[in-house]
Amino acid sequence: MSKPLSDHDRKKQISVRGLAGVENVAELKLAFNRHLHFTLVKDRNVASKRDYYFALANTVRDHLVGRWIRTQQYYYEKDPKRVYYISLEFYMGRTLQNTMVNLALENACDEAVYQLGLDMEELEDMEEDAGLGNGGLGRLAACFLDSMASLGLAAYGYGIRYEFGIFNQKIVNGWQVEEADDWLRYGNPWEKARPEYMRPVRFYGRTEHTPDGVKWVDTQVVLALPYDTPIPGYRNNIVNTMRLWSAKAPCDFNLKDFNVGGYIQAVLDRNLCENISRVLYPNDNFFEGKELRLKQEYFVVAATLQDIVRRFKASKFGSREIVRTDFAYLPNKVAIQLNDTHPAMAIPELMRVLVDEEKLDWDKAWDVCVRTCAYTNHTVLPEALERWPIDLFQHLLPRHLEIIFEINRRFLQVRTCGQFPGDNDRLRRMSLIEEGGCKKVNMAHLCIVGSHAVNGVARIHSEILIATLFKDFYELDPHKFQNKTNGITPRRWLVMCNPGLAEVIAERIGEEFVRDLDQLKKLLKFINDDAFIRDIAKIKQENKLKFAVHLEEHYKVKINPQSMFDFQVKRIHEYKRQLLNCLHMITYYNRIKKEPNKHWTPRTIMVGGKAAPGYHTAKMIIRLITAIGEVVNHDPVIGDRLKIIFLENYRVTLAEKAIPSADLSEQISTAGTEASGTGNMKFMLNGALTIGTMDGANVEMAEEAGEKNLFIFGMRVEDVDAMDAGKGYHASEYYNRIPELKQAMDQIAGGFFSHKQPDLFKELVDLLMHHDRFKVFADYEAYIKCQDKVNELYKNPKEWTKMVIHNIAGCGKFSSDRTISQYAREIWGVEPSLEKIPAPDDR
């Protein structure tokens, strides 16, 4: 396979990589060598590739620090309302290239590195992904941080500095195997420990009700040590902060208890409380009610609220002197956004601080709390909703349980009874406490009651919330409920990962689209421009060639770069219906086998994503995909007309390579199950066409690009509801009626894809035939017909590319800048700004 154009040569032609002018290359080389020599204490003769990466990262970081300090000074002078985005996950990926893009340093650094005889891509590949998230929710938080900085908001991301992020996935003999992600092994040049802001967090103990108020006593203390990471806005000189907390045992931990000879054990036991920030729970859309997880959720909230209160009280830069004590003003100066229910403990914790520590009366404190907090819901799947057992609460956070009981009592007696007298069933449904065998706290109900705004993450999702899950709450407080359709940052997901496409767009409509993605609409003027159509197709082909080289190097699999690159990359979950994709793979394989001499559209079908380690069905789905690949990829009759590849260890960095190469994006969840999706938007922005159901943000994508420019198929939400309300879903009806479906299922069941273990997929077959909540067979026929339409269009490259242009032009709405502007104006009460602040002297 011919090598694509060298990246250095390509990049030199691209203006969007350094729009603000090329910095002094000689100065960058000097700084690089200084860091190599003085920071890393390495001689050029013995330095490794990793040393060079650290030298470059430190050089780029130098350009951040002045802006970072200046930004914080600017906020203290202006004293704006601050936004606190609290999330248990921030899926950041790599930082180096994104920082260079946002500071307009990319071309200058590239040239400096080139002149030093080094390869930029090799150095970038030394950086570990910061994989502190599972999937969509954590990556959304990362995109939001980029947009908040780019829009000049005084915003902070608060989370946990997990020592081990999302596991690394290895595929061994077709099975997923997990490996610990020791991402901090070589150090992290982007973070700065801030021990001076260490905060105590308390657990366990008991409460004492005294005339002076309630005291929470006999607690165990864990220290929260903050690490700050700079978040640069796009070329506006603003650098915000992501602050992640790490758990530390206090110096006297357990020592007061040790008897003779117990000293060593007491020191070893420090690990127990430091385990709080040890590892990210690897579940996506699934609730696991473990004590350690509840500890993590309270830990981040308790530490963050101490920071918020400290910053609210002191308004002079660098000052700890208290100047503001009236908490009635808190909602004017502070907005707290809860990213799902994971940080829900912020509500009772804020009440505890206001009532027990700051001595506000309950009603005043509650008013402040509600006006400060807002809640984003991310799922309607019942197994994902957090419900914590009361016994665990009583043991771990006794004061907070009392506060939750009191919130619930007042809510039910005053608010609900007042509006719906005598409706006991409604009271039971709306209670924060679920009765039954084991009483539980419903965290979503706590969030709704304790927030002034509740939002879903795509229009259809928000509509489903108020019609079903939160219907009672909507009827009580309709004004609380909003929609905020998700978005993605065009800096990482276009300029950084697809510079060729960004440049072709910039040549036609200028460079403002990077800040204002709505400008992509201007591309519609070029829909019949042959030169533009050619340019778009050429960039796609280059990206495919580059990804094909990557696949050959890493997967030892040779693929046809002329084939359609068909991707389904996301967490493995039954509701996302990777199994429907499997049925298409098998059907297409069977058709080629049946008529091998027919002209078939060649396809490379790539599936990637991690299965939660305890999710047996998801792991079996991965095994089925790899098994289908083993048969298809070695069948000489098929040749290079169909290849099935499972992409190992899908993560942010792999997405940045894969997405620009995609022709087709599979977004095929059962209607009404995917809250929004954001991968769908990334593919659309990078020139892939979508085959999908009317679910999540797909609905709005079809609206923006025109439904005829997406391959929409299958049941709508109304059809699913009608089926559930009517005769129900019966898989056997479809199996008996559709010969190609029957053939595919019989092959899976009969061991065609698992000769050595014919009953290997017995459980999956049983699931699909008898227990399928997500109605795979009901959409099979429509999906296969839709895939036939995809094949037909792909044979006409010009028409395909015109449809691609319609899609790119319709992407404006899906910028996270738009999403954040709406949060800012409609929930947080702050005004976004594209104003640039003065640059500091970088030296």
Side-chain angles (χ1 to χ4, degrees), residues 1-19:
M1 189 184 289
S2 63
K3 276 266 188 191
L5 192 66
S6 110
D7 253 64
H8 186 256
D9 293 338
R10 247 225 80 76
K11 286 172 174 176
K12 276 204 284 200
Q13 308 161 9
I14 294 175
S15 72
V16 288
R17 305 174 74 254
L19 301 184

Side-chain angles (χ1 to χ4, degrees), residues 121 235 394 403 419 456 467 525 792:
E121 273 203 27
R235 301 181 188 183
Q394 180 64 56
I403 290 168
Q419 207 149 329
K525 285 187 296 208
E792 274 313 300

Side-chain angles (χ1 to χ4, degrees), residues 666-680:
E666 304 260 358
Q667 307 296 335
I668 58 178
S669 53
T670 313
T673 62
E674 188 73 87
S676 168
T678 44
N680 46 4

Side-chain angles (χ1 to χ4, degrees), residues 715-774:
M715 295 185 291
R716 311 294 210 251
V717 168
E718 309 79 66
D719 304 319
V720 175
D721 289 345
M723 181 179 281
D724 288 338
K727 66 181 180 61
Y729 168 70
H730 303 287
S732 57
E733 289 176 13
Y734 301 93
Y735 172 83
N736 291 321
R737 182 171 60 76
I738 308 165
E740 285 185 307
L741 173 58
K742 182 177 191 303
Q743 181 189 4
M745 288 302 296
D746 290 351
Q747 285 169 304
I748 297 169
F752 184 86
F753 299 105
S754 53
H755 291 298
K756 289 179 183 162
Q757 256 184 290
D759 62 350
L760 180 60
F761 301 114
K762 186 173 174 299
E763 290 172 6
L764 284 183
V765 171
D766 188 54
L767 175 86
L768 284 169
M769 294 298 297
H770 305 293
H771 316 285
D772 179 12
R773 294 164 57 199
F774 303 105

Side-chain angles (χ1 to χ4, degrees), residues 87-113:
S87 179
L88 269 280
E89 302 183 21
F90 287 95
Y91 202 172
M92 303 297 284
R94 290 176 178 167
T95 295
L96 174 61
Q97 197 186 352
N98 185 247
T99 304
M100 294 190 296
V101 165
N102 280 12
L103 297 185
L105 280 174
E106 207 177 1
N107 265 337
C109 286
D110 217 45
E111 192 52 40
V113 165

